Amino acid sequence: MNKSFIDSHAHIYLKDFSNQLGAIIDNSINNNVEKILMPNINLKTVNPMKKLSLKYEGRCFSMLGLHPCYVEGNYEKEINEIFDFFDSKVIAIGEIGLDYYQSEKTFTNQLRAFELQCEFAIDKKLPIVIHTRNSIDESINVIKRYSNKNITGVFHCFTGNLKQANQIIDLGFKIGVGGILTFKNSDLKNVISKIDLSSILLETDSPYLSPEPKRGKVNEPSNIKYVAEKLSEILSVPIELVAKVTSQNVNNLFDLSS
Ligand SMILES: [Zn+2]
C-alpha cells in the first residue's frame, strides 16, 4: 500500500511562503503529500491563490470564499467580487463560517455572509469548507437549515465534543483534523478516537497550528505526516490505512479531476 496524503486545508498562497514556495512544494512531494487544497481568505488572496493553482495544476486546488474574520461592512460587495472569479476549476466554497472569537458586533454580518455563501455553494453544487471558532453549535444550526438542499462539506479544524462530531457526521459532513490532535493538552484525541476514519480529513491549516514536534513554527503541508502518525496511533490502524482512507474521503467530497 502506498502512503500518499492530501492536505485538505493549507493557505500556502500567503506571503509567509512567497520566498520559499518552491521549497515548500518540493518538501511536500518528498513527504508524500500528493495534493494541497487551498481555502481562500478574502478578495486580495484570490489572485495569488489562482496563480499558484495554475502553476501547480493537478497538485494545488483553489476554493473561493470570504473568511469570517474578514467580514466587514461591505461584505456583500466583497463576496460578489470574489465570486466573479468563479470558474470550473474552483473545487469548493471556503473558507466560510463563523468566528465568535471576534467582536460580537460582527456576528450579524458574519452570519449573513455565511448564509449567502452557503446558498452560492448549493447553487453551484459545490462542497463548503467551514471555520467554526467558538461557534460549532451555531454553525451546525446554519447547516441544519440547509440540510434538505444537498449541502455537504467539512468542519475544518474541528475541536468540538463527541456529540457535536456525531451531529456533523449525521448531516453528511466530514471532520477536518490537524495539528491540534498532536497537542499534549488537547482533549481532541479522546473525541477523535471514537470517530470512524471514513469521516476524517487530514489538514495542516498552514501556516498556522504546526503539529508537534514543530509546534510554534510556520506550518507547511509536509507536516501532515505528524497528524497522520498521531491519528494512526489513536485509532490503532496502520498509517498506510490512514493515508488511503483520508485521501479517499477527500476525493469523495471534492472533484479533483480537473
Ligand atoms: Zn484556514
Side-chain angles (χ1 to χ4, degrees), residues 9 11 95 156 205:
H9 196 113
H11 304 275
E95 176 167 352
H156 128 75
D205 203 14

Side-chain angles (χ1 to χ4, degrees), residues 9-11 13 39-41 67 95 129 131 156 203 205-206 208:
H9 196 113
H11 304 275
Y13 50 80
N40 188 48
I41 290 178
H67 190 294
E95 176 167 352
V129 172
H131 171 109
H156 128 75
E203 61 172 56
D205 203 14
S206 301
Y208 314 109

